[in-house]
Amino acid sequence: MIIVLKGGATEEDVRRIEERIKADGLSAHVSKGVERTIIGVVGDERKLDPETFEGLDCVDKVMRVLSPYKLVSRDFKKEDTVIEVMGKKIGGGSIALFAGPCSVEGREMMVEIGKRVAASGATFIRGGAYKPRTSPYAFQGMGEDGLKCLADAREATGLPVATELMDPRDIDVVAKYADLIQIGARNMQNFRLLTEVGKLDKPIILKRGISATILEWLMSAEYIASEGNTRIILCERGIRTYEQATRNTFDVSAIPVLKALTHLPVIADPSHAAGKASLVEPLAAAAIAAGADGLMIEVHNQPEKALSDGPQSLRPDTFDAVVSRLKRVAEAVDRRLGTA
Ligand code: PEP
Ligand code: MN
């Protein structure tokens, strides 16, 4: 951290700031120029809140040198984190493929969709049993019965299942059935929830908040990591902008930006970004080209009857055709998609 003092700062101001820095076990390096004095903080600056200094009359500005996140940063760990679940990997060369309906709606549909997406090369099955819906009158998910259907789909396909946890009160039941736990966009900054999943021994898919910056997103990942769980997958799912033509705006640049800032795997969800089935393939292709470690795609056997997100869901046969074209995109950038 570098603290730049205003022109009129006195010796006494410098001394007080030095004392404040030392009180946190860090040391100060004072550099007096002709017009300005600059104080450099030596040590782990994350222990200091820049606001402590920003509010002082004698301070012009405070600049961080280190990122405010640590465990998830690329500086902390140079190599890519590769997460393995039931022999399937996320990160490290191949592109993971999560597919399944938005909501689990019953055993038969879940097993049927699971088998279809597995045959097309999916490596993970997704489906929500606890649904974050804008309206309290909309379908809220099947709860534990839905989790049982996911377990049946795992049984039928041998693929690990990912499902959303919305509330710390459901953590035990969700962890009992899920192989990976998703924290949805609306809960990206539910810090109590993040702290709880940080104590689990299960990979966490952390979706980007609806209006979250990349820094806020990484700070949320740091919440999970700081509790001991560093098996975190970041999922770009589009952000809210002024644009109305798509459900969200797919931030493809987040993928290479994150790959530089963090060692965690980064996947993309073109379904929620687009909100429209016809846009899923081009956004997925862009995500692969940008370096995504995986895709999450919504698939439903009867999208017109889906209880949530039907318009953005692909039919299994469309999914199959899309995946075979996307495999060629992956090959073009020396990657392998799904079970390839
Ligand atoms: C979902 O995956 O079905 C979902 C609700 O996603 P998001 O949290 O990204 O909106
Ligand atoms: Mn959905």
Side-chain angles (χ1 to χ4, degrees):
M1 186 178 290
I2 294 167
I3 304 164
V4 181
L5 304 189
K6 286 183 185 157
T10 64
E11 289 290 329
E12 178 59 16
D13 290 329
V14 173
R15 199 188 55 76
R16 261 200 236 118
I17 292 175
E18 274 186 293
E19 268 175 19
R20 180 68 192 76
I21 294 169
K22 284 180 191 154
D24 273 306
L26 303 163
S27 52
H29 180 271
V30 181
S31 163
K32 288 201 177 88
V34 181
E35 295 185 19
R36 298 290 187 99
T37 297
I38 291 170
I39 304 175
V41 176
V42 184
D44 189 352
E45 66 175 39
R46 295 180 188 93
K47 290 183 191 160
L48 286 178
D49 186 345
E51 286 180 11
T52 313
F53 307 106
E54 276 161 357
L56 300 176
D57 284 343
C58 61
V59 171
D60 181 16
K61 58 187 165 198
V62 179
M63 291 170 284
R64 283 183 185 276
V65 176
L66 297 174
S67 60
Y69 48 89
K70 181 176 183 174
L71 303 173
V72 303
S73 78
R74 188 61 94 176
D75 291 336
F76 185 75
K77 181 171 176 265
K78 295 271 174 282
E79 323 79 59
D80 287 340
T81 288
V82 180
I83 295 170
E84 198 170 326
V85 195
M86 290 166 58
K88 304 274 184 286
K89 287 183 181 159
I90 306 137
S94 56
I95 300 171
L97 185 53
F98 292 80
C102 178
S103 298
V104 178
E105 298 171 15
R107 185 184 180 278
E108 251 170 58
M109 67 81 84
M110 204 52 241
V111 170
E112 157 75 8
I113 297 170
K115 284 184 180 165
R116 295 291 301 271
V117 298
S120 301
T123 37
F124 297 89
I125 292 176
R126 65 143 286 149
Y130 296 87
K131 295 303 303 176
R133 305 305 300 280
T134 303
S135 166
Y137 308 116
F139 176 60
Q140 302 288 309
M142 289 178 68
E144 185 169 3
D145 286 343
L147 297 173
K148 289 180 181 161
C149 301
L150 281 167
D152 290 338
R154 170 178 50 216
E155 180 77 29
T157 59
L159 298 185
V161 297
T163 196
E164 179 163 353
L165 170 69
M166 286 170 54
D167 188 317
R169 289 171 293 186
D170 302 319
I171 195 162
D172 291 339
V173 68
V174 172
K176 181 173 161 197
Y177 297 96
D179 301 303
L180 299 100
I181 292 182
Q182 175 171 314
I183 300 297
R186 291 154 193 82
N187 271 318
M188 189 207 80
Q189 285 190 313
N190 183 338
F191 301 116
R192 290 289 294 275
L193 186 60
L194 300 177
T195 301
E196 291 308 312
V197 297
K199 295 175 189 152
L200 289 180
D201 182 21
K202 289 214 188 254
I204 308 300
I205 300 171
L206 180 64
K207 287 194 144 194
R208 183 178 188 172
I210 289 173
S211 302
T213 64
I214 287 173
L215 177 58
E216 286 164 341
W217 191 6
L218 288 170
M219 291 309 289
S220 289
E222 188 80 9
Y223 259 93
I224 301 172
S226 66
E227 291 294 328
N229 187 358
T230 51
R231 295 206 292 163
I232 307 163
I233 300 145
L234 301 168
C235 179
E236 162 61 38
R237 46 77 75 207
I239 45 174
R240 179 162 292 174
T241 67
Y242 53 81
E243 184 51 67
Q244 304 283 303
T246 48
R247 181 174 178 187
N248 290 290
T249 296
F250 182 52
D251 182 10
V252 71
S253 60
I255 298 165
V257 167
L258 283 169
K259 297 296 291 179
L261 296 176
T262 177
H263 53 84
L264 299 175
V266 181
I267 68 169
D269 169 354
S271 305
H272 289 87
K276 215 186 256 178
S278 62
L279 298 177
V280 169
E281 181 175 355
L283 298 193
I288 292 172
D293 296 301
L295 296 172
M296 178 178 278
I297 296 180
E298 285 187 340
V299 178
H300 198 288
N301 48 356
Q302 287 181 296
E304 63 288 347
K305 292 198 180 145
L307 296 179
S308 61
D309 290 350
Q312 68 197 31
S313 300
L314 304 184
R315 290 175 198 285
D317 53 350
T318 312
F319 176 73
D320 190 66
V322 165
V323 170
S324 54
R325 288 191 290 271
L326 291 175
K327 279 178 180 169
R328 303 216 302 273
V329 179
E331 275 162 27
V333 290
D334 292 328
R335 313 283 296 279
R336 266 168 39 123
L337 174 63
T339 52

